[in-house]
Amino acid sequence: MPANPEHAIAHSRAFSLYLDRLLTARPEQHALLLSRLHQPLDAAEMAGFADWDLLNEPDSMASALRRLRQAVMARLITRDHNGLANLDEVVSTISLLAEFAVQQSLACACRSLPQYGQPIGEDSGEVQQLIVIGMGKLGGGELNVSSDIDLIFIYPEGGETSGPRKISNHEYFSQVGKRIISLINDVTLDGQVFRVDMRLRPYGDSGPLVMSFSALENYLLTQGREWERYAWIKAKALTGDIAGLSDMVRPFVYRKYLDYNAYGAMRELHAQIRREVARRDMVDNIKLGPGGIREVEFIAQVFQLIRGGRDKSLQLRSTRATLERLAELRLLEPAAVAELQEAYAFLRNLEHRLQYLDDQQTQTLPSGEENQARIAASMGFAGWQDFLDALNAERRKVTRHFEQVFILPTETAPDHPLSCLWRDICEQDPTEQLATLGFDDVPGVAGQLRALAQSQRYQQIPLTGRKKFDALIPPLIEVSTHFPNPAATLSRIIGLMEAISRRASYLALLTEYPQTLQRLATLCSASAWVSTYLTRHPILLDELLDARVLYATPDWPALTAQLEEQMAQCDGDIEAKMDTLRHFQHAQAFRLVAQDIAGMWTVEALSDQLSLLADTVLDATLRHAWRDIPSRHTDTPRFAIIGYGKLGGKELGYASDLDIIFLYDDEHPDATELYSRLARKMSTWLTSATSAGVLYDIDLRLRPNGASGLLVSSLAAFRNYQEKQAWVWEHQALTRARYVAGDATIGEGFEAIRHDVLTQPRELAKLRSEVLAMRQRMLESHPSHEHDVKNARGGIIDIEFIVQYLILAHAGQLPAFTRNTGNIALLAVAAEAGLISPELAEQGRAAYRYYRKLQHAARLNESSKVEVNETLRQHYRQAQALWQQVFSTDNPA
């Protein structure tokens, strides 16, 4: 409560001619204001303002609503001018008033038509209720104090009323709608509540006043325009079937994939507004003029239109809440968002002070000196010029950020120097120009460009898309020449461009963000695998936008939380969850390959990261697949995933499949059946091809009894199998196994079994014989070739067999052998224990690193072979020497 309420009221009357007139004409409003000035006017007070349910006559309802608005305005003006209310209170209170007025008007309108009875749905047989949709700032809860309200009237089903005078539901709701408008909009001796604008309804002024669900859905599907997507972002059902409306409208507003075409649509809408502002000389309009309120809203909403379908956390109605979310997602820099929030608050506060003057819907600065002085003082400035200087500073901030988001980089740029080469590719010989540019396979490049221009796919690109496509090819030709393999680089890029040629949103992305072209070429030049991956998943082009994110070291706890948030947004939608997992895995793998190409990771460290990614995805898959199991007996399954092979040894590559088994430890009588269903469901989630691609290929053959065994094993059964039935090669596999995800207690139980099995005593001669026999069987199916570093004698598998043999032979005496620390570290353990020569151990370690590096490089370029040179042969010879030392019958080890 202000120390002197009367002084606070007098202070506000000096800045508001409307308040002064109101309190002079309505002494009861002065008394009410004096007694309640200390508190905001909330929903409870609005409900208690009158006996609303008894106001059956439209005239009495209209009068009560207008007196309520007077009370709301008086308190807001006085609290705002005296620093008792912030912007949140002002916009939320006036929005609450509008919602309340709509709801009371609807109830009164229905009560005033008893002769018709109730509208009944022809299909459901249920009573129908009018859905009043608040659009614009009303839907966003951000109304200004003298705003009009944008409404749309929808009803669920056709049918007819149940009363003595039957009419169609359409006719009934049309009458109800007209009465709502009259109750709120008509000017009486008490003024009006809000001006009502119905022009955002389908077909605008020429459309019906009310429309059924099915008619609205058909309109949005067949005739909804881009600017209507923008308008429906803030749509909020104030009455009726809120959930049903949201389910219908959401796919229209938010595309399933990233929609960079929204830039062009919003840019055109803004251009129309700018032209209207210039035509009507509205530069002093702080809403529509340069650097005004609308530009802040456009910045927030273009990101919603682009990304809201993928990230439901952006499906917000409030401009300021959206800006905050953009900062959290780093789609806008936090410093930029802070400036926009500051400018937005300044402009909205100014907007209210302009409207407090005379309760007029205006956003234009006053021209008279007296009102200019009022506005300046009410905004806390000594004079008009000081105020203007501050206002212009805020508007310049908005303009700067708006242009950074919306100004197309190529808008004012001249044609690219290579535009003629591409335009005339079918009419003129480009070989001389391509040779001058430095291409190493001029005929091949010329042929590919000509084939692209003559292809049916290119010819069928819609005109707007072809303009973007044609504008992109010349700079892509140029950027390809910056690399040592320009022809291969351009060839890979052309393959991608062909794949996205009819995907207008991806063309728009590359057009809107030309800085992505250099990053794209860098990746395509370095790796054929990357270009294929991008072509298969072009949505990953979005990852090229921000180098800070692309090259940021993964923060796995934060990424795990991000994935969980995204999965939670898909609650109940299994397909959406499967796609979310795929998008997450593809994006993280793509970031890692970009970092790999940039030299940020050794092969070993990269494999650790790819293994962490797989662990994260498997954990999320397990938890969410379990939630989809009906009749589950516990919220947290007593179930774990064990990784073998490359996953178990943390040596995953980009395209590695996952060797896994499933264990459980649960006495429930249905445990085996439930966990078998979970395992099958997980397999489906991981391996099914959806519109977002495949997640991982998995191999379950390492489970007890292999392909003929049960899909899941109890922990006790697994121990029994490993101790009594498993083959030596299965114990070899166990050396590279680890707990990956699920119940940690089961993970501990697995590690105990693994330790016990690896440390059990073995007859060395027999063990050596069985390991050698297994290696021979592998050579029969995968013969040794020098270009195959995996299967060659002295190659990767030989070194892995050496380590596995040493573990099984000596883990009982050397506990360090039971730690899954990788082959390189375990060779050092063997050398320190005197089991192998330190020199040969170091040579084996170096060879293994070298093989993995070669293998990794070959896979990046989609090759199954490596270059054979003397260095490679030397490593083979050294590894073979180590093999001889370990497996020689003369070696007591």
Side-chain angles (χ1 to χ4, degrees), residues 429-432 434-435 439-451 487:
D429 183 0
T431 54
E432 183 177 346
L434 291 172
F439 280 98
D440 47 333
D441 179 12
V442 170
V445 171
Q448 191 170 17
L449 288 171
R450 192 173 289 113

Side-chain angles (χ1 to χ4, degrees), residues 653-703:
Y654 296 117
S656 298
D657 58 6
L658 305 183
D659 292 300
I660 55 178
I661 68 167
F662 303 119
L663 299 179
Y664 70 93
D665 188 16
D666 193 329
E667 297 300 324
H668 191 276
D670 297 331
T672 302
E673 172 59 24
L674 286 169
Y675 293 132
S676 293
R677 286 160 60 190
L678 173 59
R680 288 193 294 271
K681 188 172 291 290
M682 285 190 63
S683 298
T684 299
W685 280 35
L686 291 167
T687 63
S688 294
T690 74
S691 58
V694 174
L695 199 51
Y696 287 105
D697 288 326
I698 62 172
D699 191 335
L700 303 173
R701 290 174 297 177
L702 286 173
R703 66 187 186 269

Side-chain angles (χ1 to χ4, degrees), residues 9-31:
I9 294 171
H11 174 74
S12 297
R13 293 176 79 159
F15 296 128
S16 173
L17 303 176
Y18 164 77
L19 180 64
D20 188 55
R21 288 196 306 271
L22 174 65
L23 298 185
T24 300
R26 301 283 188 181
E28 73 278 7
Q29 290 287 4
H30 185 280

Side-chain angles (χ1 to χ4, degrees), residues 187 267 304 319 356 408 501 538 559 578 613-614 655 674 684 695 722 733 747 891:
V187 179
R267 192 181 286 117
Q304 290 180 285
T319 298
Y356 291 153
L408 189 61
S501 60
L559 289 170
M578 291 171 68
L613 171 57
L674 286 169
T684 299
L695 199 51
Q722 289 292 338
N891 184 0

Side-chain angles (χ1 to χ4, degrees), residues 486-712:
T489 301
L490 182 59
S491 176
R492 294 165 186 173
I493 291 174
I494 287 175
L496 170 65
M497 293 299 292
E498 285 185 298
I500 67 171
S501 60
R502 296 182 63 82
R503 308 284 287 276
S505 185
Y506 296 131
L507 297 178
L509 181 156
L510 295 173
T511 304
E512 297 286 348
Y513 294 95
Q515 71 270 24
T516 59
L517 303 185
Q518 177 69 34
R519 294 177 195 144
L520 172 63
T522 298
L523 295 171
C524 288
S525 173
S527 170
W529 181 86
V530 172
S531 64
T532 301
Y533 197 64
L534 266 175
T535 301
R536 195 181 303 128
H537 307 296
I539 197 169
L540 294 172
L541 289 169
D542 182 63
E543 297 294 328
L544 299 175
L545 298 186
D546 192 337
R548 295 163 305 176
V549 175
L550 185 63
Y551 296 107
T553 302
D555 179 345
W556 289 109
L559 289 170
T560 301
Q562 172 191 321
L563 175 59
E564 187 57 31
E565 180 182 356
Q566 292 171 349
M567 294 289 280
Q569 292 172 4
C570 306
D571 193 32
D573 188 339
I574 301 305
E575 182 181 353
K577 284 189 175 185
M578 291 171 68
D579 282 350
T580 295
L581 287 166
R582 283 153 177 74
H583 290 312
F584 176 84
Q585 195 271 347
H586 296 161
Q588 303 315 315
F590 185 71
R591 292 178 189 179
L592 287 170
V593 76
Q595 295 167 19
D596 177 21
I597 288 170
M600 292 174 57
W601 300 105
T602 64
V603 173
E604 292 80 8
L606 175 67
S607 292
D608 286 343
Q609 297 298 315
L610 289 170
S611 299
L612 281 168
L613 171 57
D615 293 357
T616 301
V617 170
L618 286 169
D619 182 69
T621 302
L622 191 163
R623 287 183 291 102
H624 286 272
W626 178 247
R627 295 177 191 177
D628 193 42
I629 299 292
S631 305
R632 61 185 185 275
H633 62 291
T634 176
D635 289 337
T636 304
R638 299 203 60 198
F639 181 92
I641 302 171
I642 307 301
Y644 278 76
K646 284 184 167 58
L647 176 62
K650 295 185 178 180
E651 293 185 352
L652 281 184
Y654 296 117
S656 298
D657 58 6
L658 305 183
D659 292 300
I660 55 178
I661 68 167
F662 303 119
L663 299 179
Y664 70 93
D665 188 16
D666 193 329
E667 297 300 324
H668 191 276
D670 297 331
T672 302
E673 172 59 24
L674 286 169
Y675 293 132
S676 293
R677 286 160 60 190
L678 173 59
R680 288 193 294 271
K681 188 172 291 290
M682 285 190 63
S683 298
T684 299
W685 280 35
L686 291 167
T687 63
S688 294
T690 74
S691 58
V694 174
L695 199 51
Y696 287 105
D697 288 326
I698 62 172
D699 191 335
L700 303 173
R701 290 174 297 177
L702 286 173
R703 66 187 186 269
N705 294 308
S708 63
L710 295 174
L711 197 57
V712 297

Side-chain angles (χ1 to χ4, degrees), residues 10 27 444 455:
S455 68

